[in-house]
Amino acid sequence: MEAFAANSGRIRLVRADEVMALIREFVQNLGLDGAACTPESELRSLGIDSLQAVDLVFQLEERFDMQIPMEQFNAKTIGDAIAFVVSLSQGE
Amino acid sequence: MRRRVAVTGVGVVSPLGNQLDAVWSRLMAGHSAVDVGRFKNAATETELAVPVARLPEGVLAAPARGIAGMTDRFTQMALQAAASAVSDANLDLASVDRSRVGVSNGTCMGGISETEVGFDTIYLRRRPKVHPFTVVRTMYNAPSSFVAAVFELTGPVLAYSTTCSSSAVAIGEATRMIRHGYADTMIAGGSESLLTYSAINCWHSAQLLAPIAGQPHESCRPFSSDRNGTVLGEGAAFVVLESWEHAVARGAPIRGEIVGYGCTADSGHMTQPSVSGQARPMISALNDGGVQVDEIGYLQAHGTGTKANDSTETAAIKLAFGDHARALAMSSSKAQLGHLVGAAGAMGFVIALHALRTQSVPPTANLHQFDEACDLDYVPLEGRQKSGMSHAMCNSFGFGGTAVSLVLCSAS
């Protein structure tokens, strides 16, 4: 995973609302209910399976120009995902 | 055991439309979808302009949202054509044993559009990884697999890649599946979506593509002495095949019967065709069907518009058909639809089938100049009625030497 561990120095700070907007758009593109997305929503109950979660992580990486170690992405809820991405952008 | 195989449904997504009757009218009138295609190299910002046959706006419907993100265009075209074929067959898949239904697709370059996106991502944009669905989007069996997934089919689900004969192989092998009892129904065909810079560059570099003619739609000229290359197109064609008993039992609309399949190898040069190599599948298909040469009323030729193919195919037809070669009506639709490569065999098959159904033969467009090496009846410029046709043949030859002929019989 060396290629995915190189976030230092070049990523920008990501806001929670930007991540929320991307996740809502992602859910809608899957034909699922984007309006049902809240920070408390569980990804699995929204209909996002493990394969789609890999796609979501890729889209987060692309949009925010960051690299997310998949093995550390253990988000159960949208709120978990937002917190993880925001903290990663802060270099935490 | 050898069971009869009926064709009960047809679906197309083509540069001349997605409704077969309308496509047929345009073919018969000699219309061509070929126009100038401009392909940009994102790295060098240079452009490659060649004649191509694209799908017009609206011919390919937007895929379902859950499917769109997982599929390349070649799979999306296949899904639409296969669904059209199932609908045309009046086939309610929920009412049949879906473990006895399979899918068979052919393609030459698979998900090349998405492969190109992947290369752009890692080499041009210097991102660390390609999209995680790149394998699923580009795999050559994606069309069959997605059709099977959408319709919940659990019979044999297969893919074939023999360049330009891929989808003829897919139909032929599906025929064998039914003949020999491995399936009762097969959804078979092919799709190709290669109108992208890297793919066009491959074909252009090999000196296979015609330059843009003064009138772009006249760029591909099969069997004409001034022919100078083929024109690539995009599209998909699928058919529903059923055992005769299965089709009759459910009251299916039987459109025709596949009686002969010949699949042989040229076994020589990778790109240069040989007369014996192209005659072999025709003879094999006739023998397979127990069909005499003089029973064939129409032949949909491979007819690419290259110097090498068209004269070789003409000589091969003479070798296979003897004196009857001069009584045959034959044509190539590639001047109008473009060369659909992995989908070309299936599209040619559909055209041969429709010729039998309508007792009419489509033309070879842009055939203005006689060539001594191409001296048969290619139905130049305009289609015509031809009554009394009971059988038709479709030829499909690929680089690498896999040569296929399919023989069809009218349903009536």
Side-chain angles (χ1 to χ4, degrees), chain B residues 222-223 227 273-279 281-282 299-321 325 328 330-332 334 373-376 378 393-397 404-405:
Chain B
F223 303 107
R227 68 188 181 278
S274 73
V275 174
S276 61
Q278 292 195 343
M282 292 187 248
L299 191 154
Q300 167 73 199
H302 188 55
T304 55
T306 60
K307 286 283 183 200
N309 178 81
D310 297 359
S311 55
T312 306
E313 186 171 8
T314 298
I317 290 166
K318 290 176 183 172
L319 182 61
F321 283 85
L328 267 176
M330 73 188 75
S331 54
S332 163
K334 290 183 173 65
C374 301
D375 57 350
L376 298 176
Y378 308 101
M393 177 182 279
C394 171
N395 283 344
S396 195
F397 309 134
V404 176
S405 297

Side-chain angles (χ1 to χ4, degrees), chain A residues 1-81:
Chain A
M1 297 301 293
E2 294 78 7
F4 305 105
N7 281 328
S8 58
R10 50 188 292 273
I11 60 172
R12 67 176 175 84
L13 293 179
V14 176
R15 297 195 317 270
D17 64 303
E18 293 178 295
V19 183
M20 185 66 183
L22 183 146
I23 293 175
R24 186 168 280 133
E25 181 186 330
F26 176 83
V27 168
Q28 283 171 337
N29 284 339
L30 290 175
L32 306 172
D33 184 8
C37 291
T38 68
E40 292 73 36
S41 305
E42 289 193 1
L43 297 174
R44 197 165 287 277
S45 24
L46 284 170
I48 298 174
D49 62 22
S50 57
L51 188 61
Q52 288 158 346
V54 175
D55 187 14
L56 173 59
V57 167
F58 180 81
Q59 295 198 24
L60 289 165
E61 291 178 324
E62 286 280 294
R63 180 73 61 88
F64 302 122
D65 192 19
M66 65 195 323
Q67 289 149 43
I68 299 173
M70 195 65 207
E71 71 276 10
Q72 290 176 24
F73 186 82
N74 298 316
K76 280 191 178 169
T77 66
I78 288 179
D80 294 342

Side-chain angles (χ1 to χ4, degrees), chain B residues 149-403:
Chain B
V150 166
F151 291 111
E152 300 177 37
L153 311 175
T154 57
V157 174
L158 303 162
Y160 301 90
S161 190
T162 59
T163 60
C164 308
S165 56
S166 300
S167 53
V169 171
I171 290 173
E173 295 300 322
T175 300
R176 286 180 174 167
M177 285 285 168
I178 295 170
R179 271 183 182 174
H180 302 299
Y182 297 105
D184 294 328
T185 303
M186 293 291 292
I187 301 168
S191 65
E192 198 73 64
S193 170
L194 44 53
L195 302 185
T196 181
Y197 179 80
S198 61
I200 291 291
N201 196 315
C202 293
W203 293 77
H204 184 259
S205 176
Q207 306 291 311
L208 294 162
L209 300 186
I212 301 166
Q215 297 292 324
H217 67 270
E218 294 185 344
S219 300
C220 181
R221 301 186 285 273
F223 303 107
S224 187
S225 66
D226 62 351
R227 68 188 181 278
N228 54 2
T230 199
V231 165
L232 297 176
E234 59 177 348
F238 274 75
V239 292
V240 174
L241 308 178
E242 296 178 61
S243 74
W244 197 267
E245 296 78 8
H246 191 270
V248 169
R250 71 174 188 87
I254 295 178
R255 320 290 189 189
E257 179 179 0
I258 302 185
V259 296
Y261 170 44
C263 179
T264 61
D266 203 317
S267 220
H269 198 280
M270 283 296 114
T271 59
Q272 190 72 28
S274 73
V275 174
S276 61
Q278 292 195 343
R280 199 173 291 125
M282 292 187 248
I283 295 166
S284 175
L286 289 165
N287 288 340
D288 184 48
V291 175
Q292 303 301 309
V293 290
D294 59 4
E295 292 181 272
I296 303 290
Y298 172 69
L299 191 154
Q300 167 73 199
H302 188 55
T304 55
T306 60
K307 286 283 183 200
N309 178 81
D310 297 359
S311 55
T312 306
E313 186 171 8
T314 298
I317 290 166
K318 290 176 183 172
L319 182 61
F321 283 85
D323 291 343
H324 184 63
R326 298 203 175 276
L328 267 176
M330 73 188 75
S331 54
S332 163
S333 302
K334 290 183 173 65
Q336 298 167 270
L337 290 163
H339 188 346
L340 303 188
V341 193
M347 191 64 74
F349 175 86
V350 166
I351 291 168
L353 175 69
H354 213 66
L356 285 182
R357 288 170 66 188
T358 59
Q359 294 289 291
S360 58
V361 291
T364 300
N366 303 330
L367 175 44
H368 292 286
Q369 294 189 24
F370 177 75
D371 181 348
E372 283 184 357
C374 301
D375 57 350
L376 298 176
D377 176 10
Y378 308 101
V379 193
L381 305 179
E382 282 185 33
R384 66 171 89 115
Q385 299 302 305
K386 186 179 180 192
S387 59
M389 292 192 293
S390 62
H391 292 72
M393 177 182 279
C394 171
N395 283 344
S396 195
F397 309 134
F399 280 177
T402 303

Side-chain angles (χ1 to χ4, degrees), chain B residues 55-232:
Chain B
L55 300 185
E57 195 73 27
V59 165
L60 179 62
R65 281 181 159 182
I67 286 173
M70 297 191 74
T71 50
D72 181 277
R73 186 174 169 87
F74 88 119
T75 298
Q76 295 167 8
M77 293 192 298
L79 275 165
Q80 182 173 322
S84 295
V86 169
S87 171
D88 187 49
N90 291 335
L91 179 58
D92 176 11
L93 286 162
S95 69
V96 300
D97 176 358
R98 281 180 277 193
S99 72
R100 299 286 300 161
V101 184
V103 192
S104 172
N105 82 274
T107 184
C108 173
M109 302 191 87
I112 184 71
S113 313
E114 191 59 30
T115 302
E116 186 176 286
V117 169
F119 286 151
D120 280 355
T121 302
I122 55 177
Y123 295 129
L124 195 60
R125 295 174 51 221
R126 298 171 179 267
R127 296 293 302 168
K129 59 182 175 181
V130 299
H131 192 281
F133 294 171
T134 302
V135 173
V136 171
R137 289 174 180 170
T138 60
M139 62 191 193
Y140 284 33
N141 58 329
S144 285
S145 298
F146 275 91
V147 169
V150 166
F151 291 111
E152 300 177 37
L153 311 175
T154 57
V157 174
L158 303 162
Y160 301 90
S161 190
T162 59
T163 60
C164 308
S165 56
S166 300
S167 53
V169 171
I171 290 173
E173 295 300 322
T175 300
R176 286 180 174 167
M177 285 285 168
I178 295 170
R179 271 183 182 174
H180 302 299
Y182 297 105
D184 294 328
T185 303
M186 293 291 292
I187 301 168
S191 65
E192 198 73 64
S193 170
L194 44 53
L195 302 185
T196 181
Y197 179 80
S198 61
I200 291 291
N201 196 315
C202 293
W203 293 77
H204 184 259
S205 176
Q207 306 291 311
L208 294 162
L209 300 186
I212 301 166
Q215 297 292 324
H217 67 270
E218 294 185 344
S219 300
C220 181
R221 301 186 285 273
F223 303 107
S224 187
S225 66
D226 62 351
R227 68 188 181 278
N228 54 2
T230 199
V231 165
L232 297 176

